[in-house]
Amino acid sequence: MSDTEDLRRAALAVRENAHAPYSGFHVGAAIRTTSGAVFLGCNVENVAYPEGTCAEAGAIAAMVAAGERRIAEAYVVAGSPDPVPPCGGCRQKLAEFAGGDVPVTLATVDGAERRTTVAALLPGAFGAAHMEGA
Ligand code: THU
């Protein structure tokens, strides 16, 4: 089984744990780091709506909590008709820990996939270099 298929299975499994009673939109995210470890996240909504967190943010938090920093591949799956693109905030969060060439697969539960990259998701990304000399 390929690394990407492993990520898909893991993302589908963690999506089952999503807490999304307000949107009804369940999302799972799986991240493989450069060490080969896999970290998972699902969306966690809150009755105070802005306090909810995305699946990608959860997976990134788990990665950082485990002492890892470098994303090699990411996979996001949702119960949408078409592969759902990450929100703007999650694109920036991914870019913090991933090079532009890192593959990101967006998928539906039914198996449709769109393969893209961090750079394609966030062209012209703000980065640490933009603060040099400030
Ligand atoms: N959501 C994610 O978890 N990741 C995405 O890439 C898109 C949106 C969540 C946030 C919220 O809980 C629900 O989907 C509806 O926006």
Side-chain angles (χ1 to χ4, degrees), residues 3-26:
D3 285 346
T4 303
E5 285 168 12
D6 284 344
L7 286 187
R8 174 173 175 78
R9 285 160 60 103
L12 278 168
V14 73
R15 178 180 169 273
E16 296 294 320
N17 297 333
H19 175 70
Y22 308 107
S23 72
F25 192 67
H26 296 217

Side-chain angles (χ1 to χ4, degrees), residues 110-130:
D110 292 340
E113 289 185 338
R114 181 186 154 218
R115 200 165 162 85
T116 183
T117 64
V118 169
L121 286 170
L122 194 63
F126 173 69
H130 294 107

Side-chain angles (χ1 to χ4, degrees), residues 10-16 18 26-30 41-43 55-56 75-78:
L12 278 168
V14 73
R15 178 180 169 273
E16 296 294 320
H26 296 217
V27 186
C42 56
N43 54 330
E56 297 91 325
Y75 197 106
V76 184
V77 63

Side-chain angles (χ1 to χ4, degrees), residues 28-127:
I31 286 170
R32 184 167 46 77
T33 62
T34 50
S35 79
V38 173
F39 297 96
L40 308 177
C42 56
N43 54 330
V44 182
E45 297 183 352
N46 191 283
V47 64
Y49 295 172
E51 300 304 328
T53 51
C54 287
E56 297 91 325
I60 289 168
M63 173 188 77
V64 173
E68 298 225 27
R69 291 277 194 281
R70 297 313 302 167
I71 297 172
E73 183 175 3
Y75 197 106
V76 184
V77 63
S80 48
D82 296 308
V84 149
C87 77
C90 284
R91 294 173 193 226
Q92 186 73 38
K93 288 180 178 73
L94 288 166
E96 179 76 13
F97 300 106
D101 58 345
V102 164
V104 181
T105 303
L106 311 171
T108 69
V109 171
D110 292 340
E113 289 185 338
R114 181 186 154 218
R115 200 165 162 85
T116 183
T117 64
V118 169
L121 286 170
L122 194 63
F126 173 69

